[in-house]
Amino acid sequence: MPGTFDRSRRSAVTRRVSKNFDHALSKYFGVNTPDAKAGQGAHDAYVAALRAHGTEVTVLPGLDNHPDCCFVEDVAVMVCDKAIIPKLGHESREGEQMAIIEYLRGGSEIIHMNSNCTLDGGDVIFLDDRYLIGISTRTNRAGAEFLAKYVKEAGFEVELIEIPDSTLHLTTVCSSPRPGTLVAAEGHLSINQIGHLAEEIIWVPNSETYAANTIGYPEDKVIIAAGYSATRQLLLDAGFNVTTVDMDAIREADGSLTCLSQFNA
Ligand code: CIR
């Protein structure tokens, strides 16, 4: 239905981890140099978890010349039957979006952003009748407003949110695991920014910031990163059926669960 985000997650595209994952960008969560083999192991487990939840997953090959290529969330934003292709916010990632256009072209109208715009798809959260768009070090106001125009034309509302320098993307610290609910990390976003957007806000402790990125499915099923016991308990207490995936090797390159997918149906 136009104006309501479809959470059924019937189909997704992912991309294998680059052989050169050790050169992936890493500034926020990484402790060790990203490792391609470990990263691919985590990616395999991730794809298996999506499939176990009923998503038909296409896995595209890794790209040797794009160390961050597995983070396909960033390279397009779906607005109904349109795929908005951004100019990515970090120059080292330019070109990744071109590699997915061939895949999306079949079912979607491709729309390229203007040259003064930058945006990473990781700054976009789909929340029921609205898109939340973060303005961050990767997404500039022109990029957010370009996307907002298409979102509004499609019948959705838009909320622009200023993202603090303490984090990479909006989705790094916030997600919507079911209608009317946001999960957010303490210390990065404030109640003033997001309190009016959802009936229920589940605040995860700052020490578990990474776990604020979740993937919700119908019937209150949710996938979270393994190893975050406080967040897991908060979600169980809120009535979720929780599946965990070991994302440690992906986290080394600042990637979260949602970053690895482009849900396109
Ligand atoms: C980057 O810094 O661009 C990548 N290493 C991580 C991108 C994570 N993507 C996302 O949050 N959507």
Side-chain angles (χ1 to χ4, degrees), residues 177-179 181 216-223 235 238-242:
R178 68 180 165 205
T181 298
Y217 277 86
E219 298 169 12
D220 292 348
K221 293 181 190 144
V222 67
I223 303 176
L235 290 168
F240 284 95
N241 179 336
V242 180

Side-chain angles (χ1 to χ4, degrees), residues 24-25 68 71 73-74 93 122 138 168-169 171-172 253-255 259:
L25 298 169
D68 283 296
F71 301 121
E73 177 179 54
D74 294 324
R93 297 196 58 190
R138 299 290 179 90
L168 175 58
H169 290 135
T171 57
T172 316
D254 291 342
C259 315

Side-chain angles (χ1 to χ4, degrees), residues 29 166 173 184-189 203-211 228:
F29 291 121
S166 60
V173 291
E186 284 175 353
H188 296 283
L189 294 173
W203 290 97
V204 309
N206 185 265
S207 58
E208 295 201 0
T209 289
Y210 184 73
Y228 298 90

Side-chain angles (χ1 to χ4, degrees), residues 65 71 93 98 120 127-128 154 172 175 206 222 258:
N65 53 341
F71 301 121
R93 297 196 58 190
M98 295 310 165
D120 285 1
L127 176 65
D128 310 330
T172 316
S175 59
N206 185 265
V222 67
T258 61

Side-chain angles (χ1 to χ4, degrees), residues 21 23-29 34 67-75 88-90 92-93 96 120-124 138 168-173 213 250-261:
F21 193 52
H23 287 98
L25 298 169
S26 176
K27 177 174 170 188
Y28 298 91
F29 291 121
D68 283 296
C69 69
C70 59
F71 301 121
V72 293
E73 177 179 54
D74 294 324
V75 301
L88 292 172
H90 195 290
S92 77
R93 297 196 58 190
E96 286 178 36
D120 285 1
D123 275 317
V124 181
R138 299 290 179 90
L168 175 58
H169 290 135
L170 176 59
T171 57
T172 316
V173 291
N213 181 283
I250 297 293
R251 178 186 152 127
E252 295 291 4
D254 291 342
S256 309
L257 289 158
T258 61
C259 315
L260 296 177
S261 296

